[in-house]
Each structure stands twice: as C-alpha cells, then as structure tokens.
Amino acid sequence: MGYKRKKSESELEPEIENDRKKPMMRKEEKEKEILPSTIKNKEKRSEVHAKLKHQKKLEKRKKAKARDAAEKRALELGEEPPPKMVPRTIENTREFDETVCKPDDEELFAGNDADEFGAILKRERTPKVLITTCRFNSSRGPAFISELLSVIPNAHYYKRGTYDLKKIVEYANNKDFTSLIVVHTNRREPDALLIIGLPEGPTAHFKLSKLVLRKDIKNHGNPTNHKPELVLNNFTTRLGHRIGRLIQSLFPQDPNFRGRRVVTFHNQRDFIFFRHHRYIFDSKESKQTDSKGKEAKDAKGEKASQERVITRLQECGPRFTLKLTSLQHGTFDSKGGEFEWVHKPEMDTSRRRFFL
Amino acid sequence: MPRTTTLECPGCPSLRALTFDALGLIKVIEAKVSQGGAPRVVERWGELDSSKCVLAASINDRKDDPLLAVARKTGMIEVLSAINGDIRFTVSNANEDGPRPEDDAVVGLHLFAGQKLELTSRSCTLLTCTTKGNTSMRSIEVTDSPAGSASIGSSNTWSVCSSGNILCSKVDGSEKCAIFGGKGVEMNMWDLDNCTKIWAAKSPPKNSLDIFTPTWFTSSTFLSKDDHRKIVAGTNSHQVRLYDISAQRRPVISFDFRETPIKSVTEDLDGYTVYVGNGSGDLASFDMRTGKLLGCFLGKCSGSIRSIARHPELPVIASCGLDSYLRLWDIKTRQLLSAVFLKQHLTNVVFDSNFADGEVKPSVAADLPLNADQIANETEIRDEEETLPVKRKKASKEDERRKKKKATKENERNKVKEASKENNGSEKKASKENEGSKKLKSKKSKRSKCEIHDES
C-alpha cells in the first residue's frame, strides 16, 4: 500500500508547503531522493521519471545559456572568455600504454631499417600487389575486388582456382610481387582480409565489415589513375606502427599531389576506417560575398580579412572498416605459424585499452 | 565510471636476467626488492644491427667471472662477461669450405661449465650446432693480448644429421650428452666425449586414420639435470612427448597442447615438471610423470614464446617472445609478477643467479659478528619491504619466519626476535603490527622464556 500513500503525499505536498516549510523541506528532500526504479507502480514511476528528466533538461539548458552569456560578455568586454570545457571521451581517457612509439627512439628507427618493409619503403622495390579470393563464391566479392584494383596502383587480380595458399605465396615470390591480399568470404559476403608481405613478410589477418561499394555511395566520384596520397592516422603503438608500415608498403612511395587523390586509413579504438577521396582546395571569402575561387591551392589567404581555404572532398571508391585479429611472423601458415600478436579475450580487461 | 579490471602486478624478488633480441642487442634487466620489485632495463650491450641478430645464447653461471656466449646471425660467436658485457673473444663458426653462415645458421650453443681439459682457467669450451647439422665442440684459450683474440685449442666437428634441418639442441646437466632434433630429424642423443650417437627416437605409429605426420621437432630439453635418460620434446604439430632412453625408442607419453607449434620447453628443478610455451603465447606447466596439465599462465601474452628460463634458486620463470615483452612469473601461483617491454622481437632469455641486492639470505651461521650483520640486514629488509604491497610482505615474512624456525642456533633466534620486536615497536603501519601480533602470539610464551635466558 506504499504507492497509495506516496500519491497522496505528493498531492498534499503543494498545499502544505506554504504552511509549514521546515519539516516539509525535509520531506521534499526525502522525496527527491526516491529513485524512480524503486516505485512499483508503472504509471507513477513513469510520471516521476519524466519529471526528473524534464528537470534535468531545464537545468542543462540554463547552464548552457549561462555559459554562452558569460562568453559573450567576456568577448564584448575584451577579456578572455572562460576556458572551454573539454568533454571526457574514451580516446581522452585511454589507458597508458608503454608500447607507444616515442619520437626519439633509435631502436625504433633501427627496427624500421631492418624490418621486412624497409626495402619497399626506401624505394628499392616498387610495390606490386596480387589480389585473390578464397575458394568460395560471393556476391559482392568481385565488385569489391574490382574497386580495390582501382584503389591500389599496380595491383593484379588472379582467380583462386584450387591452389593452396602456400603455393600461391611461392608463385608470387617467383613473379616478384611485394604483397599478397586475399579477400576471404563468409556467407557470400567478403568478411576478412589477409595481407601477406612477401618474400617472408608478416601476415596480417583483418576482419572486414561495413563494406559500402562505390555504387552505393551518394554523389560518388570516379577515381583517376594518379598515384594516391596515403594518410595513416593514429597508429601510435609499436604494433600499430608495424601495421601502418605494412599498409604503407602496399602503395607507391611517390604520391602525385597534382592528382588530388587521397586514401585514408584512420585508426580509432582498434578499428581501421578506410576511405578514398578526391579533394579540391577552395578559397572561401567572407560569408557575405560568397565568391568561390576555383583551383586556388595553398592560398592560405591572410590578405583579406575573412578568406579561408577549405577542402572539399568527394568520396569515391569503397568504404570499409578493418579490425586486426592476428599478426603472424612469416608468411601464412595456419598450422606451423608463430604469432607476433594474436587477440585473446583475456586481453580485454578494460574498455580503455587498445592495441593499435 | 570507467569499467576496468586492474590486475595488480606484485613485484618480483631481486633478480637479474639477460635478454637477447633480433637486432643483436643484449639487455640486462634487474629487479630489486628495495625498489619495489619492478624490473628495469639497466644496461644495453651491443650495436643495433639486424645482421647481428642473436640466434642462441648460453650462460656459464659461476660465482667468479660468469661468462656468456652469444651466437649471431653472421656466424660469429662472442663470449662476453656476464657482469659488464666486455667481449672476451669472438670466434667464427664458419668453415672455409662449408656453407656460408647465413645459409647455415647456428641453432644451438652451449658454454661448458666444467673444465673439460687440464687447461688454465682462462679457457672455455663451446658446443655449437647449425641447421645443417654441423656440430662442433671447440675449446678456446684466451690469450692476454688486448685485441681479445683467442687461440682455438682443440676442436671436434661432426655432422649430426644427413638430411633435414636441426631446430633444437640441448646439452644435459652432466655435460656428457647432447640431444638434437629438427625438421625431418628424429630426436637423437650423442655422447660428447666420443662423438657417437647413442640413441635415436622412432616416430609414433600412424594414427587411427592412417595419417602419418612428418617429424618436426621444434624444442627439446632434458627432464632433469641429473638424469640424462629422459627427454621432453615439443613438435610442430603441438605435441609434447616424453622419451625414455632406457625404456624404448618410441615416446613414452605424448599429449597435445593447444594448436600452434611448441616453441620452447624448459624443465623445472624438481625433475618432473616442465614449462611449455607455444606459438600463440600460451605458457603452461605439465607434470611429466602423468602427462597432466598443471595449469596455464594467464597474463595477456599475445606473441609466440621463444624462450623460457627457470631461475636456479627462486621460484620464478621468465618467458620472452615475439611480442617484445619479458614476463616474470611465479611458479607456484602461476601469477604474472611483472612484464617489461623491450621493443624488439626477443629470441632468448637467461638468468644470472649471482645477483645480490644487499639482502643476506638467512643461513645457518655460528658467529656472533655474523649475527650482528644479519640483524642489520634483516632490519634493512624489513624497512625495504614497507614499500611492497601487503600480499608480498606476508609471503616473504612467512618465509623468513619459517627459515628462522629452521635455524638451529638459539642465539640467532633470540636476537632475531628481539630485532623483530624492536621493528614492530617502531613501525607505524597497522598491517604490519597485525601481522606481527598474529604470528608472535604463538611464540609469545617461547619468546618470553628466551628473553629471560638472555637477560640472565
């Protein structure tokens, strides 16, 4: 019978409030502390909850208004505005990782010189990529592969047939390929990517998801044949650095900036987002005049008072996300391979711990 | 609130380990109880050169002038002092007419501890084994010239296998026999004095599906230091096998462990436990009398374990591998004591057991001056232990008290207890007092009696 009493109490509350304040204040405070989840009556509970939410919303709006007003006042008065608060994000509160590459680490540089991609990245070999699939058919696989062929210069596609992957690695070595990409299919959808560095490079196994083909992107552009610029974001740890170099070894090391084509691999929370854009620089005058100069590259205009250079992007090519599941030392060897990094569930101890 | 499960790593006891990595560096890691038991890299020897990648290492862990032998990818074998890294001498493993060292890499290396021949103390004996099976045993005299050149005394070279590649080799505790095994090479044991093969294994019969897995041994060790007849070997198809020379040529016990090749096997001092590490970073301990898994060492190791080392005295093992971490584990609890990030792929780890941190291990001593030293040291130890987490204090205190119980001299006991009483009086930490009170309660009566003796 508790709920009936509470109902009556809340009804009585506004009447009695005016008469006796002090003891009532205590009662009000007590009622404010009642969590909606302890009220068993659904109607009453949803009413209390809605009230609480509405109160919170009003408070938040009040605070935001006060903040804006304070900033405006400070700007008008010429003083410094109060510092902007920075929201707490998972990236901000990432656990400290001792494997993050430091900028002055000579062992890192020596390791880079000595590792398997050193030859390609020092421009001693030009990248030549072999793309193939797994043995099963898939509906979107061929379309994905044709798009990959347009993204990666000097890439060749060979049908899989029934060759063993180890044999394929041998053939590729004989024909001087520098990397091998295998698009793996599950349930008629491409869902994993194996990137094998050759001749004895590491094998990275990625999980592929959220694949969007070019025809499904609105207002997509068509890629040209210029060598693309490569943007690798946020590969901070040693493992991330190694994966970054693996991806770098797929693309030629001399990008053609005039071609205005960029391929981005952005790492966030261990997911690598792949995007392919064509870009163009515009100089945008102040908002009133609105004149757009065409092809005004690097015109970081300080001459006019309100001229800014903005980059306009047009997405072309596929869009997908990758997540690293394992990195094997040596070429693909499912039985005899030794792993440099393999994801184990016991490693996920914290929501703020990432490996790449 | 961030949802995290934090695993507190208790510190390690005082120890010193040397790790060898793929860039040819030798890093010395020391952990001191006085500094909270966190291991740190104190020295780094060698230059950054990947052609000098360390392939095999062996330590001669004696009290005076401990030596370390290192085999590099260039075919050079260096012998250094284990204390300060000075190169004593360098020997090339390559023959003039044999294959180049890059094709025929060194797989096994052993620096003999005992004196093989009646030479001066400035000589040492090395056993090296390469992938093509060329094994040689050289004894080298160190001359006094500053260039550190060495004259090769006597050397024996023989071929261990005719076909196939050797992947693992080990010399037994008495240094009379050595085992070799590899891809296409069955485990075989050779007598080192006569350079003859005394035993060869036979592969197990085809299994029920008539499938014959090719021979591929990736790691091997002797089960006990004193007994050269039992061998444990790990294969590429994730099997661990126990061979007994005196029984039969086929394996006595054979069992599977997970799904990647067994990259390293190390025996424990008790003669029946082995520690097994595989290609995906799983480390486990097995009882070889029954073949039973005692337990896995869980500690987020994500790279292949290339080498495991057991500390000769403390119950600690170290594992290092391709994820560039050196991890120290407690044997009994299978808990991770600490992990050190070492930036390169690690190939080997060895322990240096002659590392003292100013801690005197409580030993049965007769003299009074020694007692005074012991007390002073033990008070130091107590103070140092304040910085460690509570778990560790209790364990070590228990150990120390047990050790004291075993000490037979009454004087020692009295003085130690007096010291402990003083300590308890001066310390302010409640936990210590509680500990002290708990443990001393049982001894109160005894102590009072002893004190009466002393005072009288």
Side-chain angles (χ1 to χ4, degrees):
Chain A
M1 294 306 181
Y3 62 91
K4 270 194 183 163
R5 194 177 287 166
K6 283 175 194 166
K7 210 172 181 176
S8 58
E9 271 188 27
S10 66
E11 279 174 355
L12 285 173
E13 204 196 294
E15 302 166 78
I16 310 172
E17 212 184 277
N18 300 327
D19 304 349
R20 293 177 285 163
K21 281 203 174 173
K22 272 189 187 176
M24 272 302 120
M25 290 292 270
R26 251 181 269 139
K27 242 192 184 178
E28 274 183 277
E29 277 164 4
K30 272 193 200 167
E31 287 194 79
K32 275 182 195 166
E33 285 171 15
I34 291 173
L35 287 176
S37 55
T38 58
I39 304 174
K40 303 278 191 175
N41 181 356
K42 182 172 171 175
E43 265 187 45
K44 181 66 185 159
R45 179 175 68 232
S46 53
E47 205 183 288
V48 170
H49 176 66
K51 209 157 130 195
L52 271 177
K53 268 188 89 169
H54 187 65
Q55 271 178 6
K56 276 194 187 168
K57 194 169 161 188
L58 291 176
E59 277 177 26
K60 189 171 174 183
R61 220 186 272 176
K62 247 192 266 173
K63 273 195 199 163
K65 270 195 183 166
R67 232 183 295 141
D68 288 340
E71 207 179 313
K72 211 171 173 184
R73 210 182 316 132
L75 279 174
E76 278 173 16
L77 293 179
E79 295 166 357
E80 268 188 40
K84 267 198 169 175
M85 298 199 291
V86 178
R88 176 177 67 94
T89 61
I90 288 190
E91 284 84 11
N92 278 347
T93 50
R94 181 171 169 173
E95 228 179 63
F96 172 68
D97 198 344
E98 56 184 349
T99 60
V100 164
C101 301
K102 309 245 165 54
D104 53 352
D105 193 0
E106 53 169 2
E107 292 183 33
L108 176 66
F109 301 142
N112 280 348
D113 282 336
D115 76 359
E116 299 93 342
F117 321 113
I120 304 172
L121 296 184
K122 285 187 222 167
R123 308 195 186 183
E124 289 159 21
R125 293 175 72 189
T126 51
K128 192 173 169 197
V129 178
L130 174 63
I131 305 186
T132 182
T133 65
C134 74
R135 290 194 179 116
F136 298 104
N137 281 331
S138 73
S139 19
R140 295 210 293 167
F144 176 53
I145 288 182
S146 60
E147 293 188 7
L148 266 187
L149 288 172
S150 68
V151 170
I152 307 178
N154 205 6
H156 306 268
Y157 169 61
Y158 286 86
K159 279 199 276 189
R160 173 66 184 264
T162 49
Y163 297 112
D164 255 351
L165 205 51
K166 291 195 192 179
K167 291 263 172 63
I168 296 183
V169 167
E170 227 182 274
Y171 297 155
N173 272 333
N174 291 340
K175 300 219 167 162
D176 271 344
F177 280 94
T178 57
S179 334
L180 173 64
I181 297 185
V182 180
V183 178
H184 193 83
T185 300
N186 191 4
R187 282 196 187 168
R188 303 194 66 88
E189 269 281 315
D191 79 327
L193 210 63
L194 254 184
I195 301 183
I196 305 177
L198 300 168
E200 3 159 295
T203 306
H205 183 269
F206 294 96
K207 193 167 64 158
L208 185 95
S209 53
K210 294 263 171 52
L211 174 64
V212 179
L213 295 173
R214 186 181 305 152
K215 56 188 172 75
D216 301 326
I217 300 177
K218 289 193 176 168
N219 299 329
H220 71 262
N222 289 318
T224 56
N225 283 336
H226 300 110
K227 295 191 183 166
E229 239 179 283
L230 189 60
V231 172
L232 294 167
N233 275 339
N234 209 12
F235 287 90
T236 48
T237 64
R238 287 294 291 246
L239 177 67
H241 191 78
R242 198 159 153 82
I243 299 286
R245 282 170 70 87
L246 174 68
I247 296 173
Q248 208 178 353
S249 72
L250 295 173
F251 291 89
Q253 299 304 307
D254 44 349
N256 188 346
F257 293 104
R258 292 197 155 258
R260 288 181 282 124
R261 191 178 154 214
V262 63
V263 169
T264 306
F265 286 86
H266 176 92
N267 171 37
Q268 192 159 341
R269 302 193 197 179
D270 282 354
F271 284 94
I272 303 176
F273 298 93
F274 172 90
R275 298 288 182 271
H276 179 206
H277 296 280
R278 299 212 65 219
Y279 61 90
I280 190 169
F281 286 117
D282 279 341
S283 70
K284 198 172 182 186
E285 305 272 345
S286 62
K287 283 181 188 169
Q288 291 110 15
T289 53
D290 208 291
S291 60
K292 284 191 180 179
K294 276 193 181 178
E295 311 260 339
K297 270 194 219 168
D298 301 295
K300 292 209 171 173
E302 269 119 358
K303 21 172 195 168
S305 54
Q306 278 142 342
E307 194 180 278
R308 306 186 327 260
V309 178
I310 54 166
T311 322
R312 286 193 299 132
L313 300 173
Q314 190 185 36
E315 190 162 357
C316 42
R319 186 198 283 181
F320 54 87
T321 54
L322 299 171
K323 187 166 189 194
L324 183 70
T325 52
S326 69
L327 181 63
Q328 240 186 45
H329 190 71
T331 54
F332 181 74
D333 193 346
S334 56
K335 273 193 283 177
E338 44 173 352
F339 290 92
E340 278 182 34
W341 188 83
V342 62
H343 178 264
K344 294 187 178 171
E346 61 181 9
M347 297 199 290
D348 293 334
T349 52
S350 150
R351 290 186 68 191
R352 278 153 181 80
R353 190 192 151 111
F354 306 112
F355 303 102
L356 281 184
Chain B
M1 289 300 288
R3 227 185 297 155
T4 57
T5 55
T6 45
L7 196 68
E8 300 247 339
C9 276
C12 344
S14 291
L15 43 77
R16 182 174 151 112
L18 293 105
T19 60
F20 309 89
D21 65 17
L23 280 185
L25 296 175
I26 304 172
K27 292 189 177 167
V28 181
I29 289 107
E30 283 180 7
K32 293 189 182 171
V33 165
S34 54
Q35 288 162 10
R40 299 167 312 126
V41 180
V42 294
E43 280 171 54
R44 193 183 88 173
W45 303 330
E47 308 106 44
L48 289 168
D49 189 352
S50 75
S51 63
K52 295 197 174 162
C53 162
V54 174
L55 297 174
S58 162
I59 189 167
N60 179 359
D61 212 6
R62 52 191 187 196
K63 296 254 178 218
D64 54 312
D65 195 23
L67 289 178
L68 182 66
V70 164
R72 295 188 185 264
K73 203 161 147 190
T74 49
M76 306 303 285
I77 299 172
E78 294 173 2
V79 175
L80 334 151
S81 148
I83 299 180
N84 52 11
D86 293 334
I87 299 183
R88 294 296 166 81
F89 56 86
T90 313
V91 175
S92 170
N93 195 35
N95 297 323
E96 291 78 28
D97 50 342
R100 284 172 48 236
E102 280 75 33
D103 301 328
D104 195 16
V106 175
V107 164
L109 174 68
H110 186 84
L111 186 59
F112 283 87
Q115 298 296 354
K116 277 249 132 186
L117 309 159
E118 287 84 24
L119 293 173
T120 60
S121 61
R122 300 285 240 102
S123 76
C124 52
T125 319
L126 290 169
L127 173 76
T128 57
C129 174
T130 65
T131 44
K132 295 209 163 70
N134 300 323
T135 312
S136 67
M137 199 158 85
R138 306 186 172 95
S139 77
I140 298 161
E141 267 187 56
V142 183
T143 57
D144 271 331
S145 60
S149 63
S151 60
I152 298 183
S154 65
S155 74
N156 260 336
T157 310
W158 70 99
S159 177
V160 171
C161 74
S162 49
S163 65
N165 292 333
I166 302 277
L167 291 176
C168 56
S169 83
K170 196 81 188 279
V171 173
D172 84 322
S174 65
E175 297 186 341
K176 292 208 185 311
C177 327
I179 45 173
F180 301 95
K183 182 173 180 184
V185 177
E186 285 283 355
M187 294 300 297
N188 39 15
M189 186 179 297
W190 291 69
D191 182 320
L192 291 175
D193 294 326
N194 311 331
C195 300
T196 52
K197 190 192 290 197
I198 52 180
W199 178 83
K202 203 168 172 185
S203 58
K206 290 189 199 172
N207 65 3
S208 54
L209 297 170
D210 257 0
I211 298 176
F212 174 70
T213 43
T215 325
W216 194 335
F217 289 98
T218 47
S219 58
S220 61
T221 181
F222 284 89
L223 185 54
S224 147
K225 273 195 309 189
D226 320 311
D227 188 3
H228 71 100
R229 295 171 302 175
K230 296 203 177 70
I231 303 168
V232 178
T235 67
N236 196 44
S237 38
H238 45 86
Q239 264 194 346
V240 179
R241 295 182 184 164
L242 171 68
Y243 289 91
D244 191 344
I245 293 181
S246 47
Q248 60 185 28
R249 288 179 66 194
R250 294 233 161 107
V252 174
I253 301 177
S254 168
F255 51 84
D256 271 346
F257 176 57
R258 304 268 168 102
E259 289 153 3
T260 43
I262 310 285
K263 282 291 177 183
S264 65
V265 182
T266 304
E267 79 279 7
D268 193 49
L269 298 173
D270 57 13
Y272 52 82
T273 315
V274 292
Y275 304 102
V276 168
N278 73 354
S280 50
D282 306 315
L283 184 60
S285 66
F286 287 88
D287 182 343
M288 288 315 281
R289 300 174 291 192
T290 53
K292 193 175 141 203
L293 171 74
L294 294 174
C296 287
F297 290 71
L298 295 175
K300 303 181 198 170
C301 181
S302 49
S304 154
I305 296 178
R306 284 283 180 85
S307 159
I308 309 175
R310 190 343 179 162
H311 195 279
E313 288 142 27
L314 302 167
V316 169
I317 52 174
S319 75
C320 72
L322 291 184
D323 60 347
S324 326
Y325 269 92
L326 171 71
R327 289 186 167 84
L328 295 155
W329 311 83
D330 180 285
I331 289 179
K332 299 187 185 84
T333 60
R334 288 191 292 277
Q335 200 193 14
L336 177 69
L337 293 174
S338 62
V340 189
F341 179 60
L342 292 171
K343 299 180 195 162
Q344 265 78 246
H345 295 329
L346 301 171
T347 54
N348 280 292
V349 68
V350 293
F351 271 117
D352 182 356
S353 59
N354 305 314
F355 180 60
D357 186 26
E359 258 195 36
V360 174
K361 299 184 174 103
S363 55
V364 181
D367 307 326
L368 291 176
L370 254 182
N371 274 341
D373 281 345
Q374 267 200 1
I375 294 165
N377 281 332
E378 274 157 354
T379 50
E380 267 178 41
I381 294 167
R382 299 282 167 73
D383 291 335
E384 288 163 355
E385 278 173 2
E386 279 184 24
T387 54
L388 288 178
V390 182
K391 273 187 199 171
R392 178 110 177 86
K393 281 179 213 161
K394 280 188 182 165
S396 59
K397 274 216 154 196
E398 277 177 2
D399 284 345
E400 282 186 1
R401 284 180 201 272
R402 263 184 244 137
K403 282 176 187 166
K404 277 155 213 158
K405 278 186 188 167
K406 287 174 189 167
T408 51
K409 302 285 170 173
E410 219 187 54
N411 284 341
E412 257 195 352
R413 213 190 260 170
N414 297 341
K415 294 209 172 172
V416 158
K417 281 176 189 165
E418 276 183 350
S420 69
K421 210 189 171 194
E422 285 168 12
N423 261 344
N424 279 333
S426 59
E427 281 158 4
K428 293 161 193 166
K429 289 197 177 172
S431 60
K432 280 224 157 181
E433 282 176 353
N434 286 340
E435 263 180 57
S437 60
K438 275 184 209 165
K439 276 155 199 170
L440 291 174
K441 266 180 199 167
S442 52
K443 296 178 197 170
K444 257 184 193 170
S445 50
K446 281 187 198 172
R447 213 205 307 155
S448 55
K449 283 182 199 165
C450 297
E451 276 168 4
I452 294 169
H453 283 308
D454 253 352
E455 280 155 24
S456 67

